[in-house]
Amino acid sequence: MAPVYRIAVIQLQVKPLQPAANFARATTFIRSAAAQGCHLAVLPEYHLTNWLPTSPTFAAACSSWETYLTAYRALAAELHICIVPGSIVRPCTPTATAPQSLENATYFISSTGDILGSYVKKNLWGPTERAYLSSAAAAARATPNRAIDTPLGKVGLLICWDLAFPEAWRELVVQGARLIIVPTLWTRSGASDAGRAYNPSAPALFLDSVLTARTYENTCAVVFANAGGRPGGNYVGLSQVTAPYVGPLVRLGTQAEGMAVAELDMQIVEDAEQNYEIRKDLAR
């Protein structure tokens, strides 16, 4: 019989350049998730600082990244819950081909507090990220993103715009990943003015369509944790846990801050693979 996992997806409203306040709020949600018997809690991209790279205090706000990562490890061990702490901006060494001094990373922390794996964002979002972040793209050509052995089975990590690239998912699926976790900071301005003129809900249509499609074409489940924001603002929300056949098991339908807990029966992934044989065909 396939295992059943309780997963908390946390749609945090990230206060700009206030890592201590954001960490405190995230901790409150994670404690609630653990009290509800969750095996895993997932936070959004840039959850400590938000994304304000032109601010003169942005680099300083990111400088304490390791302190917070250590605190999340201690929290995971205390509560016996696995944590994916969204994404964390950390320093990196500039090179001739990648002169940027920051990178955007995510981690899988086990319920014992151990870091089981990490991933640096490969597919950066346009000039707003490429000017400031180093990408894992060059290194990935030599070393692919690795699926991680975790208490929830084989897991893959992606970040935000990576979700638009099917090859990023296949790279993990061929290694046996059955659960893909995607911390995100996705806003309405991700669709252009022209796109929103056709459909004001274009960003939501993109996310709901692509996330469900990925579950089918990879016979996997997806945890998508997006940032929240004030009603009527630029944030999209729509954090969800999604599976083949059923689509979202839970879905935060607005941009408001909150948390949703899903019961993910991995039998649905096994049944989808038996039906569509995606992994079997990829292995031929």
Side-chain angles (χ1 to χ4, degrees):
M1 181 178 294
V4 178
Y5 301 122
R6 286 180 65 82
I7 299 174
V9 60
I10 300 167
Q11 189 163 286
L12 192 71
Q13 182 172 343
V14 184
K15 297 181 183 300
L17 306 177
Q18 297 183 48
N22 292 322
F23 173 76
R25 187 68 177 146
T27 297
T28 298
F29 278 116
I30 293 169
R31 289 189 180 280
S32 175
Q36 295 178 57
C38 290
H39 301 92
L40 170 67
V42 182
L43 290 159
E45 184 182 27
Y46 299 127
H47 82 282
L48 288 173
T49 58
N50 212 309
W51 177 240
L52 295 164
T54 60
S55 169
T57 61
F58 183 72
C62 297
S63 65
S64 54
W65 69 277
E66 202 162 11
T67 298
Y68 291 107
L69 181 60
T70 300
Y72 279 122
R73 295 180 65 184
L75 185 65
E78 175 196 343
L79 301 177
H80 307 293
I81 187 173
C82 298
I83 300 173
V84 173
S87 78
I88 295 174
V89 179
R90 66 187 189 188
C92 63
T93 303
T95 67
T97 56
Q100 299 85 358
S101 60
L102 296 172
E103 61 188 9
N104 189 14
T106 188
Y107 299 83
F108 191 102
I109 302 171
S110 78
S111 54
T112 60
D114 296 308
I115 296 175
L116 300 184
S118 63
Y119 167 72
V120 174
K121 189 175 183 178
K122 175 180 177 182
N123 298 290
L124 302 181
W125 173 251
T128 59
E129 286 190 328
R130 291 176 191 151
Y132 304 100
L133 292 177
S134 178
S135 167
R141 284 192 284 270
T143 305
N145 186 10
R146 296 295 184 191
I148 304 165
D149 290 308
T150 80
L152 284 77
K154 284 271 191 180
V155 166
L157 298 174
L158 296 172
I159 301 175
C160 197
W161 190 230
D162 287 325
L163 68 82
F165 295 82
E167 62 273 20
W169 297 71
R170 285 290 165 85
E171 186 176 52
L172 294 165
V173 166
V174 296
Q175 297 175 60
R178 284 168 165 72
L179 179 64
I180 309 295
I181 300 170
V182 192
T184 301
L185 195 161
W186 198 287
T187 62
R188 297 184 189 281
S189 55
S192 66
D193 291 342
R196 293 197 305 276
Y198 288 110
N199 178 9
S201 298
L205 178 62
F206 185 110
L207 291 173
D208 285 335
S209 300
V210 170
L211 291 170
T212 298
R214 294 289 181 264
T215 69
Y216 276 103
E217 66 193 14
N218 295 292
T219 55
C220 69
V222 179
V223 182
F224 171 79
N226 199 8
R230 61 178 178 80
N234 193 36
Y235 292 91
V236 178
L238 306 182
S239 298
Q240 56 192 269
V241 178
T242 308
Y245 294 130
V246 297
L249 295 167
V250 293
R251 177 178 179 271
L252 290 164
T254 71
Q255 67 269 53
E257 183 178 77
M259 182 178 80
V261 174
E263 292 270 354
L264 174 60
D265 187 340
M266 294 301 289
Q267 186 61 47
I268 200 168
V269 172
E270 301 308 317
D271 289 344
E273 173 58 25
Q274 186 174 8
N275 187 164
Y276 301 116
E277 296 188 341
I278 299 294
R279 297 166 189 272
K280 183 177 179 180
D281 283 345
L282 289 173
R284 292 182 190 277

